[in-house]
Amino acid sequence: MPAGPPAESSDPAGPAAAPPDPLTIVRTRGYVAVLVISALLGVPIAAAAFGFLALVSELQKLVYDDLPRTLGFHGTPNWWAIPLLAVAGVLVALTIRHLPGGGGHKPAEGFKTGGTPSAAALPGVVLAAIASLSLGVVLGPEAPLIALGGGLAVGAVRLLKRGAPPSAVAVIGAAGSFAAISELLGSPLVGAFLLMEATGLGGPMMGVVLVPGLLSAGVGSLTLTGLGTWTGLGTYSLALTHVPSAGRPTLGEFGWAILAGALAAFLGEAIRRASLALQDLVERHRLPLTVLMGVATGVAALLYAVITDRPATGVLFSGEDALGPLLADSATYTAATLVALLVCKALAYCASLSAFRGGPVFPALFVGAAGGLALSHLPGLGTTAGFAIGVGAMAVAMLKLPMTSVLLASLLLGREGLDVMPLVIVAVVVAYVGTLRLARRPAGPHDAGPQPATPAR
């Protein structure tokens, strides 16, 4: 930089500060310390994430499998979820109302990663998520895990070094979130893309922030794999064990991909608008309407069981564990059954988004998979291709993360995913553009009326 005084600027705020140089940051001792801390924190955070997922899984088995048998039922009655989800509504409503942090991220407002919760808010986030997920609510564990990983990482840094720079704390908090979901989506790479795209990382600084997260995710993935083997519980990772052969895409399948993308945009926007409208009502009468949304979720599951003579649990939960069996047993589903599954799962998903706590990712994938498999009953669309374009299109319609949606739908299918990736890209692009065009524009200053001044802090 020149030694003389800076040139005059017409900007009243003064000359703009030069952006930080990524190479300079990487060469500092502080950045090396951030990498070491990220790697070290990856182990306990991954262990905490594993414990959270194991607890939710065991509670699900306890209340939906063991408890009905203990009470003398030969199986789980199809109405069983209704009282359990009413109890979930009471527990979640009380947690949101009385514990700090409001139970964490509101899933109806989309997938968000900003705002790491404080240590005081973490108990409320965890309790609301456990009550929701273990009792059958149609949401996933990814949002609570991201909050848990980031909150634990930030709390550990502030405990060990009170004067840590805010930028370093933010990077380590992001690394903690990477570690917490490192294996949840089937690969640390997919989890990294999810967080990177959701937070809007880009430009020269992307690598500086991303490398500690990838390191923590790699360590976390190894930890989760080791714990899964040691305990015999598995890694709770999204995986498909049986994928039918896909073959090369045809011109007809490209046409179906365009249609699937358009349909997903309309369905995703309908779910989003309905869940946000219901959320506004729920927040005015938290306890009774959270219970009512729980009952509505259970009724949607019961309706599916009555219509199709299949278990109500096909509609309940996040759908992560049901994706594999849905594809493997797709030949046993008629088109009408798949449409009933899509409608009932979407209704339960909408009710759950409006009142409970969890993540929006896995139910969106399941709804898209059911829709894609229903389309595959029409001429010219294979089973695996239909599954893939449905998953990708619905994921982007609900998450608005196109790169992550393509990766999820393609990598999930293993080798067959490479064959269907062009179809997935077409479906995702159509759904993404359609979703943006259908989305309600935020009210401008002329529509919203006079805005109150923001108080100084």
Side-chain angles (χ1 to χ4, degrees):
M1 295 181 64
E8 293 185 2
S9 172
S10 58
D11 186 352
D21 179 17
L23 187 58
T24 302
I25 294 174
V26 170
R27 288 175 173 172
T28 61
R29 290 184 178 179
Y31 188 73
V32 175
V34 167
L35 290 175
V36 172
I37 293 172
S38 298
L40 293 176
L41 287 177
V43 175
I45 288 175
F50 181 87
F52 174 86
L53 293 171
L55 177 59
V56 168
S57 178
E58 292 304 310
L59 286 174
Q60 288 176 353
K61 294 174 184 176
L62 175 65
V63 297
Y64 278 93
D65 295 333
D66 299 340
L67 187 57
R69 293 191 182 94
T70 302
L71 294 177
F73 294 99
H74 295 294
T76 305
N78 288 323
W79 53 262
W80 185 257
I82 296 177
L84 288 178
L85 287 164
V87 172
V90 173
L91 296 176
V92 171
L94 293 177
T95 301
I96 292 172
R97 179 179 290 177
H98 296 293
L99 291 183
H105 163 256
K106 299 177 183 179
E109 297 178 2
F111 187 79
K112 297 180 180 179
T113 60
T116 301
S118 64
L122 278 182
V125 171
V126 172
L127 288 175
I130 290 175
S132 297
L133 304 179
S134 63
L135 294 178
V137 168
V138 184
L139 292 172
E142 65 282 352
L145 283 179
I146 289 170
L148 178 64
L152 289 176
V154 169
V157 170
R158 288 178 174 163
L159 183 65
L160 296 173
K161 190 174 182 180
R162 295 182 180 274
S167 58
V169 173
V171 171
I172 293 173
S177 296
F178 275 59
I181 64 163
S182 57
E183 277 293 312
L184 186 63
L185 299 174
S187 165
L189 182 62
V190 179
F193 262 95
L194 176 72
L195 290 174
M196 181 179 69
E197 197 172 14
T199 54
L201 284 176
M205 293 299 294
M206 181 179 70
V208 174
V209 179
L210 187 59
V211 167
L214 287 173
L215 177 61
S216 190
V219 173
S221 179
L222 290 173
T223 303
L224 286 167
T225 302
L227 286 172
T229 302
W230 178 57
T231 61
L233 296 174
T235 59
Y236 305 104
S237 176
L238 179 62
L240 302 180
T241 56
H242 175 72
V243 179
S245 178
R248 284 187 163 281
T250 65
L251 184 61
E253 286 178 331
F254 277 102
W256 287 120
I258 294 172
L259 177 62
L263 293 175
F266 281 102
L267 179 57
E269 189 62 21
I271 292 173
R272 181 181 298 106
R273 291 190 185 189
S275 63
L276 286 171
L278 288 172
Q279 178 180 270
D280 290 340
L281 294 174
V282 168
E283 289 180 344
R284 296 176 202 166
H285 309 282
R286 169 57 65 182
L287 181 56
L289 289 188
T290 303
V291 173
L292 181 60
M293 290 301 101
V295 170
T297 301
V299 169
L302 176 61
L303 181 64
Y304 169 73
V306 170
I307 292 173
T308 66
D309 200 27
R310 287 178 175 267
T313 50
V315 167
L316 301 173
F317 310 117
S318 70
E320 175 190 355
D321 295 332
L323 271 174
L326 179 65
L327 179 59
D329 301 331
S330 58
T332 66
Y333 286 80
T334 65
T337 298
L338 288 167
V339 171
L341 177 60
L342 182 152
V343 171
C344 293
K345 187 80 170 184
L347 290 173
Y349 183 27
C350 181
S352 299
L353 285 169
S354 68
F356 292 92
R357 292 298 185 260
V361 175
F362 291 112
L365 303 184
F366 190 89
V367 169
L373 289 174
L375 284 178
S376 72
H377 282 260
L378 299 174
L381 182 62
T383 300
T384 301
F387 180 92
I389 62 177
V391 167
M394 200 63 202
V396 79
M398 292 305 300
L399 307 179
K400 298 182 181 178
L401 304 176
M403 284 294 295
T404 301
S405 300
V406 171
L407 280 176
L408 267 172
S410 302
L411 296 183
L412 182 60
L413 296 170
R415 183 176 299 177
E416 303 301 326
L418 297 176
D419 291 331
V420 299
M421 186 179 288
L423 299 174
V424 173
I425 291 173
V426 170
V428 165
V429 169
V430 172
Y432 182 60
V433 174
T435 299
L436 294 183
R437 291 185 66 86
L438 290 171
R440 289 177 176 172
R441 296 180 181 178
H446 300 290
D447 301 323
Q451 301 295 316
T454 302
R457 296 189 179 184

